[in-house]
Amino acid sequence: MSGFVAGIVPAPFVPHLGYLAAVALLLLMLAWWLRRRPMLSVAALFAALAAACSLMHSGFWLSAKLPVSCTRVPVLVEGTVVSLPRRQRGYTGSDSQRFEFAVGRLAPLACDAPRKLLITYYGPEVIAPGQGWRFRVRLRPPRGQVNPGSGDFARWYAQSRIHGVGSSGQYAQRAPQWNRPWRSSHHRLRARLSAAVTAALAPGMASAVMQAITVADKSGIRHRLWVMLQHLGINHLLVISGLHVGMVAGLGWLLGALLARWLAAFWPVNPRYCGALLALVFSGFYTALAGFSMATTRAFLMIAIAVIAVVTARRVTPWQVLLALVLVLAANPLAVFGSALTLSFGAVAALLWLGGWSRHAYAWQRWSSVHAYMSLVMLPLGAIWFGGASAIAAPVNFLSIPFFTFFLVPLALAGSAAVLLGATGWGAMLWQWAAAPLQVVMQWSQGLELERGFVALTPSAPAIALAVFGLVAAVVPGGRVRRILSLAIVVPLFLAPRPPVPPVLALLDVGQGTAVVFMAAGRALLYDTGGGDPEGPNQAQRVVIPYLRASGIRTLDTLVISHGDLDHAAGHQAVAAAMAPARTWYGGLHSAGHDVCRAGQRWRWADDIVFQFLAPGAAWGSSNNRSCVLLIDVRGQRILLAGDIESAMERELIRYWGAALSAEVLLVGHHGSATSTSQSWLNRVDPDLALLSYGYGNRFGHPAPVVLRRLQAQGVVALATARHGALELELSTSNQWQIRAHRKYPENWRL
């Protein structure tokens, strides 16, 4: 088992599938070389088997990905809805339903590679699991944004086996020939219970939480609620966890034992077998209600292994956790890409490790030590996956876990059972009882300044490794001094990296939007914040703030919002709250009372770093043409950030500034739109390097082919975030820009 797990681990780190095949071959050779040492030989053999298994699954996913040539091509797709649709209301007021779709037929045939799609539907039809539908969609390959400090969403696509992503407007037609109600029967049951919860409770936070803990439907979890629970350190309670599955299994075991005693009057029944069987049935049913999430699947497998051990009169040992991990990875090796695997199995391993050394302690000591220890364990895990952890998680969880475990979840499950048995009124009443105190707690929590309790963590890999080692060693019996020293090596987790000293320009990969960071000597300027929902989630929260923190920046010297369009300004409030900029400049149609950028304004950080606004002048034209145009002069190397200005404003700037517009680096205006970057503009700026920021497969068709042809004809090197990920330019001591593209392998199987 250890060999198999070790063989899966290299999969996320190899840049090409050919390397994974080489790893499998080398492990087979190692197994042959160690044939005289059976234990080592078997471990190497199973590691080779795991690498081959990962290679096979990864190859299947690659072969089924939507071809790049089919990006944004209109296709007609028929098939079956195979997930619980997640209903969302966008910040623009448009309603949507997002669901996984098993492809039965797709036209044109040149694009008929995907087997499963993730579709967002904006029409009026109500989508239900198991139904057959026909959609007209525009698809794009399952790619994620690549930025330092934040994860790559393409990994989620890989582990979920999503081969294409698309959106559909009004056209949707039922296709009864593709109805497969049996295929998604558990999702249909989840949809029924979710609708019953919605009908029983008034819309709000309590209703959203009840849907989440009952059937893992997070449609009602708005970003603000999720952030509030993250700051409290209890957002994990919204996930149907292994603890809840274990509780349901325990209830099944108790009922099975009671049933066996009643049946004993008629014929002999072993209570152990009856209890084990009902525990397995109950836990399996609840795992299905949770949509077979990682945590519940892990718990169900552990329960199944324990049941087999009990029935066969074998001893149950902690090694069943490793066996459950082997089974999960054998079914889906790409699960190593997700946080769920690390969090679920890591938490159980930490609990088993602590329990093994504290089995002789008093019950109250074990209870308190578990909470304290798991709060410490969440520090490195939170640093890896969430960029931080809650400082108040320990006391809040000490109160919240019993409330959820012994009050909220039992009432939620009892209400679900009542609804499934036809007693809808009883079910609604039980849910209302559960929601009443929950609503009070949620309203009280909203009035607290919880963001102060969240500690941002951006440690290096060695710091995380030291913290893990310290937490492992801290619970081993020994002297008090040794334990204190073990915990002391957790401290580097809280040390922020040093800000870059050489000037660095970073164009972040924020999809269809713009976010540029300039850093030098520990100071930072941010030009635009990317798009998204101003109330969250947005690209500032997902990409910009994590990048700044990973770069060692805790406060901004300057924030420039070029103009008010959401793809440039959606995250300005989030950035202002997290980074406390010393000065903020606004462009476009912002109201009075702000520092408004005006042509000619200058400031400097040092003698060799000078900033100057070249536009706008007086109020002129559209919001795009009122963009703040910023020129940065670094040791004579000039960077021109053009915002969204169009050709008319370009002509005005050429007329006014003339030769002063020349720059070595140009941020291409308006994401490469045909309305910008005229030939006369390129002639005057005469850049060596052009940077383009746009979303992969965006609906606007950016960048325009005519703009790309102009750049090529001019001999300008063009780099784009959609193709290369985040782009970092560092100015060397020889005054040359060193370029680092973070999507290093364009054909990488992981991307």
Side-chain angles (χ1 to χ4, degrees):
M1 291 189 294
S2 300
F4 189 89
V5 173
I8 290 285
V9 169
F13 305 103
V14 298
H16 194 275
L17 282 184
Y19 296 176
L20 199 57
V23 168
L25 183 59
L26 287 174
L27 287 169
L28 276 177
M29 294 171 62
L30 181 63
W32 171 258
W33 185 65
L34 294 170
R35 63 189 183 280
R36 297 184 184 277
R37 298 183 179 183
M39 291 292 290
L40 294 177
S41 179
V42 168
L45 181 64
F46 273 84
L49 178 65
C53 183
S54 180
L55 176 65
M56 180 183 68
H57 280 266
S58 306
F60 284 158
W61 181 69
L62 253 189
S63 64
K65 282 176 65 175
L66 182 78
V68 175
S69 59
C70 294
T71 302
R72 298 296 300 169
V73 172
V75 302
L76 188 66
V77 60
E78 298 178 359
T80 310
V81 178
V82 291
S83 71
L84 179 66
R86 183 168 182 174
R87 292 169 174 80
Q88 296 175 309
R89 166 151 289 190
Y91 55 91
T92 58
S94 58
D95 292 333
S96 66
Q97 300 170 74
R98 200 178 195 195
F99 49 88
E100 295 176 13
F101 193 74
V103 177
R105 184 184 302 139
L106 191 150
L109 291 177
C111 302
D112 190 22
R115 297 298 92 202
K116 188 162 72 169
L117 303 173
L118 184 65
I119 294 178
T120 303
Y121 170 64
Y122 293 94
E125 302 287 349
V126 177
I127 309 297
Q131 291 180 340
W133 285 90
R134 182 183 297 110
F135 296 103
R136 183 171 286 113
V137 299
R138 291 181 180 271
L139 296 175
R140 59 179 175 84
R143 301 181 73 183
Q145 297 164 200
V146 182
N147 295 278
S150 54
D152 182 0
F153 202 67
R155 296 185 173 190
W156 181 86
Y157 293 135
Q159 69 170 342
S160 302
R161 299 187 177 96
I162 301 295
H163 306 131
V165 182
S167 59
S168 175
Q170 298 294 317
Y171 179 82
Q173 185 178 8
R174 287 296 304 272
Q177 69 272 27
W178 296 107
N179 283 346
R180 303 289 189 272
W182 54 269
R183 183 173 182 178
S184 302
S185 54
H186 64 294
H187 289 309
R188 295 172 69 86
L189 191 60
R190 295 173 66 205
R192 177 185 167 190
L193 288 174
S194 181
V197 171
T198 303
L201 303 176
M205 292 185 180
S207 174
V209 171
M210 291 299 294
Q211 285 179 300
I213 66 174
T214 303
V215 292
D217 182 2
K218 299 184 179 65
S219 296
I221 303 294
R222 297 291 182 254
H223 179 74
R224 183 174 296 178
L225 173 59
W226 182 258
V227 170
M228 182 183 77
L229 296 175
Q230 185 183 48
H231 289 166
L232 286 169
I234 59 172
N235 52 342
H236 63 94
L237 295 177
L238 292 191
V239 180
I240 298 179
S241 67
L243 176 64
H244 302 149
V245 176
M247 183 178 65
V248 171
L251 176 63
W253 191 288
L254 177 62
L255 292 178
L258 294 175
L259 180 63
R261 290 190 178 186
W262 178 75
L263 290 175
F266 305 98
W267 65 82
V269 177
N270 190 326
R272 184 173 62 181
Y273 294 168
C274 194
L277 179 61
L278 276 188
L280 191 63
V281 171
F282 276 40
S283 60
F285 184 76
Y286 192 40
T287 301
L289 281 184
F292 293 102
S293 66
M294 180 62 68
T296 56
T297 301
R298 183 264 307 159
F300 173 69
L301 287 173
M302 291 175 61
I303 291 167
I305 295 166
V307 165
I308 294 172
V310 168
V311 171
T312 57
R314 292 181 177 272
R315 187 165 61 94
V316 179
T317 71
W319 287 106
Q320 66 184 20
V321 179
L322 188 56
L323 180 54
L325 178 58
V326 167
L327 294 174
V328 168
L329 291 177
N332 183 10
L334 303 185
V336 294
F337 286 141
S339 61
L341 185 98
T342 306
L343 295 173
S344 180
F345 283 95
V348 172
L351 288 171
L352 290 173
W353 180 251
L354 177 65
W357 295 104
S358 60
R359 64 184 66 177
H360 301 299
Y362 293 109
W364 68 270
Q365 290 176 321
R366 291 197 300 269
W367 178 256
S368 58
S369 64
V370 162
H371 282 282
Y373 188 62
M374 292 309 296
S375 297
L376 291 173
V377 168
M378 279 306 300
L379 290 176
L381 292 177
I384 294 171
W385 295 109
F386 310 121
S390 173
I392 58 175
V396 173
N397 276 278
F398 191 83
L399 299 174
S400 300
I401 289 178
F403 172 69
F404 270 76
T405 303
F406 301 115
F407 177 77
L408 203 60
V409 173
L411 283 181
L413 293 179
S416 300
V419 170
L420 294 177
L421 293 173
T424 306
W426 280 96
M429 183 178 65
L430 290 169
W431 286 331
Q432 289 164 3
W433 287 353
L438 184 63
Q439 186 66 40
V440 173
V441 172
M442 291 293 177
Q443 290 177 348
W444 174 75
S445 299
Q446 281 187 296
L448 303 177
E449 295 183 3
L450 298 174
E451 60 276 2
R452 296 184 179 181
F454 187 78
V455 181
L457 301 173
T458 53
S460 62
I464 292 174
L466 276 175
V468 171
F469 177 78
L471 291 171
V472 168
V475 300
V476 178
R480 181 175 298 178
V481 174
R482 186 191 58 75
R483 289 193 174 193
I484 292 174
L485 289 175
S486 297
L487 288 177
I489 62 176
V490 177
V491 172
L493 276 178
F494 298 91
L495 301 179
R498 290 185 178 182
V501 176
V504 173
L505 179 78
L507 178 61
L508 300 182
D509 184 5
V510 292
Q512 188 63 22
T514 300
V516 182
V517 178
F518 178 78
M519 299 175 287
R523 305 175 75 175
L525 173 145
L526 174 64
Y527 181 90
D528 286 343
T529 64
D533 186 345
E535 299 295 324
N538 52 56
Q539 295 293 339
Q541 295 158 339
R542 291 172 173 167
V543 174
V544 178
I545 295 172
Y547 174 80
L548 290 169
R549 287 173 174 164
S551 301
I553 302 298
R554 291 294 177 262
T555 59
L556 279 174
D557 184 89
T558 309
L559 171 62
V560 179
I561 304 298
S562 66
H563 62 299
D565 289 1
L566 286 182
D567 57 338
H568 295 255
H572 78 276
Q573 292 180 348
V575 170
M579 290 287 137
R583 188 165 192 181
T584 302
W585 298 90
Y586 291 88
L589 300 175
H590 284 280
S591 60
H594 299 300
D595 288 331
V596 179
C597 53
R598 287 285 181 260
Q601 291 168 324
R602 292 167 59 93
W603 71 99
R604 65 179 63 235
W605 285 355
D607 291 339
D608 57 354
I609 302 178
V610 181
F611 303 87
Q612 182 176 12
F613 286 124
L614 304 185
W620 195 90
S622 65
S623 173
N624 284 345
N625 281 327
R626 299 186 188 189
S627 296
C628 301
V629 177
L630 180 62
L631 180 69
I632 307 174
D633 190 317
V634 190
R635 302 186 207 151
Q637 293 288 316
R638 294 156 65 89
I639 305 161
L640 185 59
L641 308 179
D644 271 1
I645 63 169
E646 298 168 349
S647 300
M649 177 55 79
E650 291 174 353
R651 290 192 295 271
E652 290 292 318
L653 294 180
I654 292 170
R655 182 184 62 81
Y656 186 83
W657 291 102
L661 288 174
S662 65
E664 285 73 25
V665 180
L666 170 67
L667 175 66
V668 175
H670 205 181
H671 319 289
S673 167
T675 61
S676 305
T677 320
S678 61
Q679 187 61 56
S680 58
W681 175 255
L682 279 179
N683 291 340
R684 176 55 69 186
V685 177
D686 192 25
D688 299 321
L689 177 64
L691 305 179
L692 296 102
S693 179
Y694 59 89
Y696 182 78
N698 65 84
R699 61 190 177 92
F700 304 102
H702 296 159
V706 64
V707 171
L708 296 180
R709 287 196 296 269
R710 286 173 190 157
L711 291 171
Q712 185 178 16
Q714 195 89 357
V716 180
V717 176
L719 300 176
T721 55
R723 177 172 175 79
H724 301 96
L727 295 162
E728 288 185 306
L729 282 66
E730 182 175 324
L731 192 61
S732 67
T733 53
S734 59
N735 237 28
Q736 298 295 319
W737 289 108
Q738 307 295 322
I739 303 171
R740 182 164 56 252
H742 284 272
R743 194 185 297 275
K744 298 180 181 179
Y745 306 102
E747 301 303 323
N748 188 333
W749 72 276
R750 295 173 292 163
L751 306 180

